[in-house]
Amino acid sequence: MATVDVLPEVAGVHWRARVDAAQLRLRGRLWTLTTIAHVVPFAGAATLLMALQPLALPVALVCLAHAWIIPELYAQRGANVLRPRGRAAHGSPTAEPEQRSVGLLGDLVGHEARELHARTGLVLEPGRLGTWLVGESGAVLLHGRRRVFCYCVKVDPRRAQAAELPSGDRIAHLLLALRSDEPGFATVANLAFAGAHWRLRRRLRKEMRPALRAARAALDSRARLAR
Amino acid sequence: MSKLIRMDHTGHSTLAEWTPEDPVAVEAAVTAFRAELERGYLAMVSTGPGHAEHVRELPVQAELVIMRLPISGG
């Protein structure tokens, strides 16, 4: 069987360094520094304004609002990678393909992942870099105790067939690519957000939050077994 | 019975079915496989829980070969 270890799509982003644990740590720290660089000047300006002139309270509040909103917008960008497309209504012409695609996806994952997908629309997949949550147009990697990396990655929209794929197939495409070359998958994907787990949880849709909890629990359980 | 399927707008389509002992069915599967590669599809084979491999030739012994489209960063 002629197998290929590196994801073929990596050739399309040859200028990118292949993602590994060290690069993830570095990128995570850079994101933290960027967040600090956004928050500290606004918070500092608010403090200074209040110290110099208490009547400048409205302006100070605007500064604080900026300090709060900018990291939230980044987290929202991260949560958006898991946003599902509209599903076919029961009985509609696209309902059957939808069911068939979910059936195929179910064959690729275990019982627990299948059940979690039915509840949240996300597939939990353990990897070497951490634990992944795979959605229709993106994936979230939980790496280490506190940090998440949100990747925007999808079936290549330049392919005409991509627009017609049902949800289960979209996830299956990403899952198979992830399973064949995890670092390559993370290299091809665009990083939309890296930051604290709690920031992402707050911006996720309610029905998806159990998937994040399950991914965290899976990561903790693996860490305990590794000790 | 091994299967070659393609993920598409129908959920998935079965392109070929074969047993390694049936050379005619294998030949038909190889032809269908190559046609999909030429259309830009990539072939994947599950190799155990959490593992998959990208293949460039039809693995005749595999139970299920899945054709997928390439992915890209969004």
Side-chain angles (χ1 to χ4, degrees), chain A residues 88-223:
Chain A
H90 188 69
S92 80
T94 50
E96 195 189 325
E98 192 70 44
Q99 282 178 350
R100 276 168 67 82
S101 73
V102 170
L104 175 63
L105 179 64
D107 290 343
L108 296 176
V109 299
H111 173 72
E112 279 181 32
R114 207 159 37 228
E115 191 272 332
L116 188 70
H117 172 258
R119 280 193 292 137
T120 65
L122 303 174
V123 168
L124 191 154
E125 179 71 10
R128 276 180 298 161
L129 295 172
T131 300
W132 292 84
L133 284 174
V134 184
E136 291 174 40
S137 53
V140 170
L141 169 65
L142 282 79
H143 177 80
R145 280 285 301 148
R146 289 169 296 188
R147 204 181 291 279
V148 292
F149 293 82
C150 301
Y151 289 101
C152 191
V153 55
K154 58 182 93 173
V155 181
D156 193 340
R158 288 168 295 186
R159 304 278 174 159
Q161 306 96 318
E164 304 167 335
L165 287 173
S167 73
D169 278 357
R170 289 173 186 280
I171 297 175
H173 272 79
L174 300 186
L175 189 65
L176 287 169
L178 169 63
R179 285 178 172 181
S180 69
D181 177 13
E182 184 183 0
F185 178 82
T187 304
V188 168
N190 289 341
L191 184 61
F193 170 71
H197 167 272
W198 61 266
R199 275 199 191 282
L200 177 69
R201 189 186 61 227
R202 286 199 328 198
R203 309 308 306 181
L204 270 187
R205 289 175 169 214
K206 264 187 185 167
E207 66 270 20
M208 289 181 168
R209 290 178 193 165
L212 196 59
R213 264 199 303 277
R216 183 97 185 259
L219 199 63
D220 288 346
S221 147
R222 285 171 68 188

Side-chain angles (χ1 to χ4, degrees), chain A residues 1-15:
Chain A
M1 184 162 67
T3 62
V4 187
D5 289 336
V6 177
L7 203 64
E9 291 92 331
V10 171
V13 288
H14 56 85
W15 60 90

Side-chain angles (χ1 to χ4, degrees), chain A residues 1-6, chain B residues 47 53-57:
Chain A
M1 184 162 67
T3 62
V4 187
D5 289 336
V6 177
Chain B
T47 50
E53 278 179 0
H54 170 220
V55 293
R56 287 197 174 132
E57 287 167 21

